[in-house]
Amino acid sequence: MTLENAWKNTGTLRMKKTIKFVFLICSVVLAGLCAAQTSGTPVKKHLLFIGEEKGYRHEAVSHAMATVERLGKESGLWDTTLRTDTEVLTKKKLEYNAKNLNDFDAVLFYTGGDLEMDAQQKADFISFVHDDGKGFIGVHSAAITFTDWPAYGDMIGGYYDEHPWLTFDAPIIVEDPGFPGMKQFLQSFVLRDEIYQLTNYSREKVRVLMRLDVSKLDMKNKNVHRKDGDFAVTFAKMYGKGRVYYTTLGHVEANWDKPEFQQMMTEAIQWAMGLGNPDLTSRPLPSN
């Protein structure tokens, strides 16, 4: 073997060793990244909170928005984008790199009335939940939003039909203490809030988590329209591939400061974003 060939063979050998070393380093780095992703540390989600009302203005909306944003930061589970308009409720690209629905894992409505959304925005929003498998959380007056839009009513699970007892000491029964955000409540408790009576609602299509204790209600109130005694307070459901959560609670601003209420909202948002798989089977109204 000539000296020249010896140098060539030595260079080739060094090159092969270098390539193997680089490959080994890359493998170690990738393995570390994969381990970090599967170590149990959740990937932070993104929540869009829409706080816009056309018609009656709820005083609690601003405080609710601030509270949900804080809960996301403190838990480290989600970042919150707060909006009082509906521009972001679209899948089309917006100017100046503004966010759209594609940037979020769930949308929360504390809204009221007919918000300003064109036909394409409405189609995009329904698709976001139904087809993309994202989450929707409706709070209180979300059930008096888009009352002339059947697809929205089908998604949320019911519409406002009076609040017969106005703001009162509501006797609440927890139907499903095993659902996220329910275990911290007593099986029956009293909370001062404004409870909506719902129309276009059927418990056959939802999993009721809380209901009013009808035995403690004034059923002779002239605004009571439901004769079946089924006054759902909070429920969850699937809508296509997406998850939907609604609670009529939240009218009273002070309730947003209660630890048990904050835990309910935190775990509701988590669930809507795809964390956890509790039973969503509908159940008949209990006899007592």
Side-chain angles (χ1 to χ4, degrees):
M1 178 183 295
T2 64
L3 182 60
E4 182 180 357
N5 288 336
W7 274 108
K8 286 182 179 179
N9 289 340
T10 301
T12 301
L13 182 60
R14 287 176 178 171
M15 181 62 73
K16 288 181 178 180
K17 288 182 177 180
T18 300
I19 292 173
K20 287 182 179 180
F21 179 73
V22 171
F23 179 77
L24 178 62
I25 293 297
C26 290
S27 298
V28 170
V29 171
L30 288 173
L33 290 174
C34 291
Q37 291 178 350
T38 58
S39 64
T41 303
V43 177
K44 186 175 284 190
K45 302 285 188 174
H46 300 275
L47 175 71
L48 172 63
F49 192 134
I50 302 292
E52 180 184 19
E53 295 186 291
K54 303 290 188 180
Y56 184 86
R57 269 67 168 178
H58 284 85
E59 301 244 343
V61 173
S62 295
H63 189 49
M65 296 176 83
T67 300
V68 167
E69 182 182 37
R70 176 176 59 79
L71 292 174
K73 288 182 177 179
E74 291 179 351
S75 67
L77 293 172
W78 71 83
D79 289 323
T80 310
T81 295
L82 305 175
R83 295 292 294 259
T84 56
D85 63 274
T86 55
E87 180 189 38
V88 68
L89 294 175
T90 181
K91 291 183 180 181
K92 75 177 182 180
K93 182 175 176 57
L94 298 174
E95 292 182 329
Y96 309 116
N97 296 318
K99 293 181 179 179
N100 63 18
L101 283 171
N102 297 321
D103 296 301
F104 298 99
D105 299 289
V107 174
L108 191 156
F109 269 22
Y110 194 156
T111 53
D114 290 327
L115 310 183
E116 295 177 5
M117 292 175 66
D118 61 30
Q120 187 57 56
Q121 282 183 284
K122 290 181 176 181
D124 287 349
F125 180 50
I126 291 296
S127 174
F128 168 82
V129 181
H130 189 276
D131 303 324
D132 300 343
K134 300 300 181 68
F136 174 77
I137 305 101
V139 172
H140 195 54
S141 53
I144 196 169
T145 301
F146 291 125
T147 55
D148 294 322
W149 180 17
Y152 177 83
D154 184 45
M155 178 186 71
I156 195 172
Y159 280 125
Y160 164 90
D161 181 25
E162 297 288 349
H163 34 56
W165 308 280
L166 302 175
T167 299
F168 76 122
D169 292 331
I172 297 173
I173 293 175
V174 176
E175 275 197 33
D176 188 358
F179 197 92
M182 293 291 114
K183 63 181 179 295
Q184 71 277 12
F185 293 107
L186 296 174
Q187 197 272 330
S188 64
F189 66 100
V190 173
L191 181 68
R192 188 163 188 81
D193 212 319
E194 184 182 75
I195 310 299
Y196 286 175
Q197 173 181 236
L198 297 176
T199 187
N200 288 49
Y201 150 83
S202 170
R203 71 166 42 232
E204 294 179 357
K205 298 180 179 180
V206 303
R207 176 81 166 196
V208 175
L209 310 179
M210 293 175 167
R211 74 177 189 277
L212 290 180
D213 184 347
V214 72
S215 70
K216 298 178 181 178
L217 297 177
D218 173 16
M219 293 297 288
K220 295 182 180 179
N221 185 299
K222 64 182 179 63
N223 290 321
V224 172
H225 301 150
R226 294 196 71 93
K227 304 306 179 184
D228 59 3
D230 191 5
F231 299 96
V233 172
T234 305
F235 55 78
K237 58 176 287 193
M238 295 299 295
Y239 181 64
K241 297 178 182 178
R243 299 181 178 202
V244 173
Y245 186 101
Y246 173 74
T247 184
T248 186
L249 302 175
H251 173 86
V252 175
E253 183 174 316
N255 287 340
W256 290 90
D257 294 324
K258 296 181 183 295
E260 60 272 29
F261 189 90
Q262 292 181 3
Q263 184 175 342
M264 181 187 81
M265 292 307 305
T266 297
E267 295 190 31
I269 292 168
Q270 285 181 261
W271 172 79
M273 289 178 168
L275 302 176
N277 291 291
D279 188 2
L280 287 174
T281 306
S282 62
R283 299 178 297 183
L285 178 67
S287 57
N288 50 34

